[in-house]
Amino acid sequence: MFDLLIQNGVIVDGTGAPRYEADLAIQNGKIAKIAPHIAEPAAKVIDAKGMIVSPGFIDYHGHSDNTMLLDPDCYNYLEQGVTTEITGQCGTGPAPYYEGGAEEAKLGLSKEDFEKMKAVTDSFESFMGYVSQRKYGNNIALYVGQGNVRGRVMGFSAEKPTPAQMEEMKNWMRQAMECGYLGFTTGLVYAPSVYAGEEELVELAKVVGEYGGSYASHIRGESGNVVESVEEAINIGEKAGIPVVISHVKVIGKENEGLSVKVIEAMENANARGVKVRADQYPYLAGSAPFISCIPPKFHVDGEAALVENLKNPEYRRKVTYSIEHEREEFDSNLMAAGFEGTLMAGCAKTPQYVGKTIAQIAREEKKDPYDVCYDLLIANDGVAQGIYFSQNESDMLRLLRHPYVMAGSDWSNYPKHFSEDQVGGGHPRGTSTMVEHLRLIRDHGFCSLEQAIHNITGLPAEMSGIEGIGLVKEGAHADLCVFDYAALKACSDYLHPFRKNQGIQTVIVNGAVAVENGVANGVKNGVVLKKAPKKA
């Protein structure tokens, strides 16, 4: 007897091959049999008539490593069809711990729990050892956050590393790769990751290359310098001989509309000369990032706590404002790209009255200068707040979305608790609906076949991760599956109501266990930490 049998579905297997009708049987967490008709009995039978049966979707750009210690059920990912999330993006993660690098956790945990968290995240070995013993709603795989490594070795120093410091950072990378990490990431607009130069990053990339890993980068700029920034990421991968992923690829700024053509050209040229370059993307025109990242990196060199304290000084504020407005070639702040009308507060725990409001709206209500609103908000929240920035162009977003090199990635995290669908603010629609909106846009615009679309969010990210057994519907593969009605797919979430449920996702299966029924997560946790085999290439 099989554990689970899916009958009468149309299988789109993740390879890009044509769809076909078949039954699918699951046993012991694996796909045991695929055939036109399976007559053997099963403990549970799902009728998928009229539905697509595909591999579970793979979100290539998540940040849930920062909530893994809270044992999340990952409902917001499961309900959009995600069975595997690739985390550790943008150069940040929980390990290794460094002073000033976990301010959000410090605010949300008791002193005792914070000390426990520090012990667990003290090294890659301690963190991976802990999370590998736990179950999650979906599978989670991890990249090394280069910012953590630099922060552990050099703090928030902007200096070039000494030979001894460089060797220490390389040893941290070796430890991580031995633990099963996929490669490393950078966040080249966030301190301390931003202080690393290309030469330093190439040296780290070479270590990752010893283990067959890859490099994913939140590049140094996504506005007027986006092409040069993409080329820098490609150069690092090319010099080290490893694949490259451009994180949440986009073009910021109305004045830069059309630069996606040159971004794609840079990626295609690199692939033509043998450098494997792909990208991930969320299908929304507004991005989101920690609000403190709107302040130029040169003000972060003493750590974010010192920065927040300095913002109490009027003269210091004037220097920050001048830099934001007049030194855009050095750092292009989201405040300039989106403007105060286009900067919406998604999270600020100590000033909840601001959630769901723009900086301009708050300034009008309080009769304050918008910059003072920004600085006062950061002070009131000890530097921990999340902004949403409306700064992208639809033409660029759609051009990138339809390219076969572009995967999907939410650039969000699983929620540690369930939120009401009617809640106003407090999140981003990409946290609940990235995969559904990605497929809807492809369907409605007719960009490509469903087979190609599913490959881009299953088989392709599985290939880039280097993890075996995921991203495909085939016998022997992990039974991570999504059953959905393609014609009915609809994202109901938006910027003011980011927790509304999707339509069209019917059933989601993780390692053989049903985790979503009738579109709603049932609380089952059958996801595990996935590791890249720690074998040197």
Side-chain angles (χ1 to χ4, degrees):
M1 177 181 286
F2 292 116
D3 296 331
L4 181 62
L5 178 62
I6 303 174
Q7 295 180 321
N8 307 315
V10 176
I11 293 178
V12 178
D13 67 7
T15 66
R19 69 192 78 180
Y20 60 94
E21 295 183 10
D23 293 351
L24 183 153
I26 295 169
Q27 187 73 29
N28 298 324
K30 299 289 184 68
I31 298 174
K33 185 176 181 179
I34 303 173
H37 178 67
I38 298 175
E40 293 97 317
K44 182 177 177 66
V45 178
I46 295 173
D47 185 2
K49 187 174 180 61
M51 300 281 183
I52 301 297
V53 180
S54 78
F57 307 150
I58 299 175
D59 186 320
Y60 209 87
H61 191 106
H63 289 279
S64 295
D65 45 346
N66 288 308
T67 61
M68 290 176 76
L69 302 183
L70 303 177
D71 295 330
D73 65 6
C74 312
Y75 80 99
N76 56 305
Y77 279 107
L78 290 169
E79 290 178 356
Q80 54 181 303
V82 173
T83 57
T84 296
E85 181 191 354
I86 310 296
T87 66
Q89 303 289 350
C90 298
T92 64
Y97 173 82
Y98 67 99
E99 200 62 42
E103 296 304 304
E104 188 167 1
K106 188 179 293 184
L107 292 178
L109 298 174
S110 68
K111 184 176 181 181
E112 181 182 1
D113 286 343
F114 183 70
E115 290 302 318
K116 289 179 181 177
M117 184 275 289
K118 283 175 59 177
V120 169
T121 61
D122 185 59
S123 69
F124 295 116
E125 290 176 343
S126 60
F127 179 73
M128 188 65 89
Y130 181 87
V131 298
S132 294
Q133 303 304 312
R134 312 185 85 77
K135 286 288 188 76
Y136 302 97
N138 51 229
N139 303 310
I140 300 176
L142 298 121
Y143 270 99
V144 179
Q146 168 267 340
N148 284 68
V149 170
R150 199 178 209 274
R152 181 61 175 259
V153 175
M154 300 179 64
F156 283 87
S157 170
E159 298 299 315
K160 184 177 179 180
T162 66
Q165 288 171 329
M166 191 70 242
E167 191 57 38
E168 188 178 354
M169 286 192 283
K170 290 163 72 173
N171 286 337
W172 276 110
M173 286 290 175
R174 292 187 182 99
Q175 180 190 124
M177 298 305 291
E178 292 285 349
C179 289
Y181 281 70
L182 308 183
F184 83 112
T185 71
T186 51
L188 297 177
V189 298
Y190 303 129
S193 182
V194 63
Y195 305 127
E198 185 175 314
E199 181 182 353
E200 175 183 335
L201 297 175
V202 169
E203 288 302 302
L204 297 179
K206 288 178 179 177
V207 173
V208 166
E210 295 172 8
Y211 295 84
S214 57
Y215 171 51
S217 180
H218 178 149
I219 54 177
R220 223 172 275 276
E222 297 173 323
S223 53
N225 61 343
V226 63
V227 177
E228 303 95 296
S229 298
V230 167
E231 289 173 342
E232 180 192 31
I234 292 171
N235 288 340
I236 290 164
E238 187 165 19
K239 290 176 180 177
I242 65 174
V244 174
V245 178
I246 307 301
S247 295
H248 43 60
V249 63
K250 66 173 76 72
V251 175
I252 288 176
K254 303 302 180 185
E255 70 277 15
N256 298 312
E257 186 169 6
L259 281 181
S260 57
V261 173
K262 293 185 177 180
V263 167
I264 289 170
E265 183 180 305
M267 294 171 60
E268 290 179 339
N269 288 343
N271 279 275
R273 62 179 186 267
V275 188
K276 191 170 191 175
V277 181
R278 301 292 185 265
D280 64 66
Q281 181 203 41
Y282 52 82
Y284 295 95
L285 298 180
S288 185
F291 195 50
I292 201 168
S293 69
C294 292
I295 294 178
K298 67 182 180 181
F299 296 102
H300 295 245
V301 293
D302 295 321
E304 292 182 351
L307 168 55
V308 171
E309 183 64 28
N310 287 334
L311 285 174
K312 297 175 182 178
N313 183 321
E315 181 57 33
Y316 189 85
R317 290 186 179 204
R318 283 192 285 271
K319 290 179 180 178
V320 172
T321 300
Y322 179 87
S323 181
I324 290 172
E325 291 189 335
H326 300 287
E327 297 175 340
R328 294 186 69 178
E329 288 188 6
E330 179 180 316
F331 177 76
D332 201 1
S333 172
N334 275 317
L335 291 177
M336 295 302 294
F340 297 121
E341 293 284 1
T343 298
L344 181 75
M345 295 314 301
C348 42
K350 293 190 175 184
T351 53
Q353 69 272 22
Y354 295 154
V355 172
K357 295 181 179 180
T358 66
I359 294 298
Q361 184 179 355
I362 298 167
R364 286 192 295 269
E365 290 176 357
E366 299 190 354
K367 296 180 172 54
K368 292 169 63 174
D369 178 83
Y371 282 109
D372 284 330
V373 170
C374 297
Y375 305 147
D376 290 344
L377 190 152
L378 285 169
I379 292 168
N381 288 276
D382 298 313
V384 180
Q386 190 77 12
I388 291 176
Y389 313 99
F390 292 83
S391 58
Q392 298 176 47
N393 305 298
E394 185 176 40
S395 63
D396 289 309
M397 186 266 282
L398 293 175
R399 183 179 292 113
L400 291 163
L401 181 140
R402 67 177 177 254
H403 197 278
Y405 289 164
V406 178
M407 307 175 287
S410 64
D411 193 16
W412 209 249
S413 65
N414 50 52
Y415 291 116
K417 65 178 183 179
H418 289 230
F419 294 92
S420 166
E421 289 190 64
D422 296 325
Q423 178 170 317
V424 174
H428 191 295
R430 70 192 191 193
T432 48
S433 303
T434 286
M435 294 297 169
V436 172
E437 182 67 1
H438 176 94
L439 290 174
R440 183 197 70 79
L441 287 168
I442 287 174
R443 179 197 67 200
D444 291 357
H445 287 276
F447 283 151
C448 65
S449 67
L450 175 60
E451 288 85 347
Q452 179 62 44
I454 293 299
H455 169 68
N456 281 16
I457 61 173
T458 59
L460 177 57
E463 175 191 331
M464 292 303 292
S465 75
I467 297 171
E468 298 291 333
I470 63 171
L472 298 174
V473 176
K474 67 176 184 178
E475 292 180 359
H478 293 288
D480 297 332
L481 301 163
C482 184
V483 181
F484 63 98
D485 182 343
Y486 188 43
L489 283 180
K490 180 181 178 182
C492 298
S493 61
D494 57 37
Y495 296 102
L496 289 182
H497 302 94
F499 305 110
R500 287 180 174 169
K501 304 289 187 183
N502 302 302
Q503 296 177 7
I505 301 292
Q506 181 69 23
T507 304
V508 179
I509 297 164
V510 180
N511 294 314
V514 176
V516 171
E517 300 173 274
N518 298 316
V520 179
N522 59 18
V524 167
K525 294 181 182 180
N526 205 41
V528 298
V529 173
L530 299 176
K531 302 177 184 178
K532 183 176 170 61
K535 297 178 181 178
K536 291 195 174 185

